[in-house]
Amino acid sequence: MNYKITVLPGDGIGPEVMKQGTEVLQQVAQLYGFGVDLQEGIVGGASIDAHGQPLTDRVLDLCKQSNAVLLGAMGGPKWDGLDYSIRPERALLALRQELGLFANLRPVKLFSALAAASTLKQEVVEGTDLLVVRELTGGIYFGQPKGVTKLPDGTERGVNTEVYTTPEIERIAHVAFQAAVKRRKKVTSVDKANVLEATELWRKVVTRVHADEGYAAIQLEHMLVDNCAMQLIRNPRQFDVVVTTNMFGDILSDEAAMLTGSIGMLPSASVGGKVGMYEPVHGSAPDITGQDKANPLATILSVAMMLRHSLEQSAAADRIEKAVEDVLNGGYRTADIQQKDCRLVGCKEMGQLVRDRIGAVKG
Ligand code: IPM
Ligand code: MG
């Protein structure tokens, strides 16, 4: 088997963490006897500098013709002043939309070695193992009308629109229920149905899919987003699969990341189209760029998700995840998860430690 992978390192710490991720990928490819053909593309701020736009047709085509896409991070202060239509983040939104990636899977699993690394109490975070299923190509991120207009009195009016249609809600509900079948069989659907009509529809459709489409074995509960934000840090063990809208998922997944010690630990998979895209949840972290301080584990774990979801190489994925766990158990930490009595390592060394461990463990 030979897989074509498009690699988009992006901006900030993206290239540093991606290097560690692709080296892990090449290592397991060799160990498990499959080929990976890595094609690199420029996106985000780097693409604005080179081509005047955050995503070129050439890079988009490259993505469409590959088996999967690995993405680093996009954006930085250098491009913050640009018009919204050509900001680095636009590339991310365009990739999601063009590749039809309507489902974003963000597993929030605490490695037990990091139970004391969180800013939250150990007894609260212990045992956290949940999956955020975020709708990714709809909602207020894409709804029309949008934009800022000038009013006759000289003031301005900014508009974004939350829109969801029945088919959009149905398909993301299926993703959540099917994920729950393989997990602890509970889905929490998060909305703001007491105020927002679009999410009242969300609740109605999720309820119907649950009742009518053969998910009787799954327990479904509905939760308002404000309550969910509180419950996540009050008692995260109550959650198995959390399914929610694009914007609520964006916010809740950053919050949930802190249960694992650091957002530097969180991988993600964006699926639903022909080609899946895999990326760390963290951003480009301009403040630590180029200092060998970034945590590469979210990217390395995203490589594992790609192996499992897009390449059907789950043994290789298991081996990576086990190696990450072993390295953390061995007391090695990047700065974001540093703890007393642990050894502080940089991005490169953390990547190397994981590869050493992959090489040492019998698969
Ligand atoms: C994320 C990010 C993006 C989003 C930004 C960079 C556009 O925060 O993937 O969570 O809001 O979706
Ligand atoms: Mg986000």
Side-chain angles (χ1 to χ4, degrees), residues 96 106 134 141 249-251 253-254 263 281:
R96 290 170 179 170
R106 297 185 163 181
R134 169 188 176 193
Y141 273 53
D250 178 46
I251 299 167
S253 61
D254 268 35
I263 198 166
V281 172

Side-chain angles (χ1 to χ4, degrees), residues 155-232:
T155 61
E156 290 175 291
R157 180 169 184 267
V159 177
N160 288 95
T161 307
E162 172 84 332
V163 183
Y164 273 111
T165 61
T166 306
E168 283 177 314
I169 304 166
E170 283 170 351
R171 64 187 184 176
I172 194 73
H174 279 291
V175 171
F177 289 127
Q178 279 159 20
V181 168
K182 297 189 207 138
R183 294 176 49 99
R184 298 192 309 279
K185 305 195 171 40
K186 180 176 174 188
V187 170
T188 305
S189 173
V190 176
D191 59 43
K192 189 71 184 171
N194 54 346
V195 177
L196 304 175
E197 286 84 349
T199 71
E200 194 186 353
L201 177 68
W202 176 282
R203 186 177 287 215
K204 193 173 90 183
V205 175
V206 172
T207 304
R208 204 198 51 232
V209 171
H210 176 250
D212 294 353
E213 312 240 5
Y215 295 116
I218 307 291
Q219 180 198 344
L220 170 66
E221 73 176 8
H222 300 280
M223 197 178 273
L224 297 173
V225 64
D226 48 352
N227 184 27
C228 182
M230 179 178 74
Q231 295 298 336
L232 271 173

Side-chain angles (χ1 to χ4, degrees), residues 266-336:
L266 233 63
S268 81
S270 301
V271 296
K274 250 178 64 212
V275 181
M277 186 162 81
Y278 299 83
E279 58 179 303
V281 172
H282 63 69
S284 56
D287 53 323
I288 57 163
T289 297
Q291 299 170 37
D292 194 35
K293 280 187 186 160
N295 184 349
L297 295 179
T299 305
I300 291 171
L301 293 168
S302 298
V303 169
M305 287 191 90
M306 176 181 81
L307 289 162
R308 186 171 292 118
H309 291 279
S310 282
L311 311 186
E312 283 162 27
Q313 296 285 348
S314 58
D318 290 345
R319 185 135 158 194
I320 293 172
E321 285 162 358
K322 176 73 173 57
V324 168
E325 180 158 26
D326 289 347
V327 169
L328 292 172
N329 287 342
Y332 298 98
R333 302 284 188 273
T334 43
D336 58 320

Side-chain angles (χ1 to χ4, degrees), residues 66-80:
S66 53
N67 294 97
V69 179
L70 266 178
L71 182 82
M74 287 188 216
K78 180 175 173 192
W79 305 282
D80 275 352

Side-chain angles (χ1 to χ4, degrees), residues 77-148:
K78 180 175 173 192
W79 305 282
D80 275 352
L82 294 176
D83 189 81
Y84 267 100
S85 60
I86 54 159
R87 287 250 189 112
E89 290 84 352
R90 280 287 131 191
L92 192 53
L93 301 182
L95 278 166
R96 290 170 179 170
Q97 198 169 36
E98 292 286 332
L99 299 174
L101 306 173
F102 69 86
N104 185 216
L105 313 177
R106 297 185 163 181
V108 180
K109 189 172 175 187
L110 174 71
F111 286 94
S112 53
L114 296 182
S118 175
T119 50
L120 297 161
K121 286 189 191 133
Q122 175 157 355
E123 64 262 33
V124 172
V125 300
E126 240 158 19
T128 295
D129 180 6
L130 61 93
L131 175 70
V132 177
V133 176
R134 169 188 176 193
E135 200 290 326
L136 203 58
T137 52
I140 198 166
Y141 273 53
F142 294 94
Q144 297 285 350
K146 62 154 114 191
V148 178

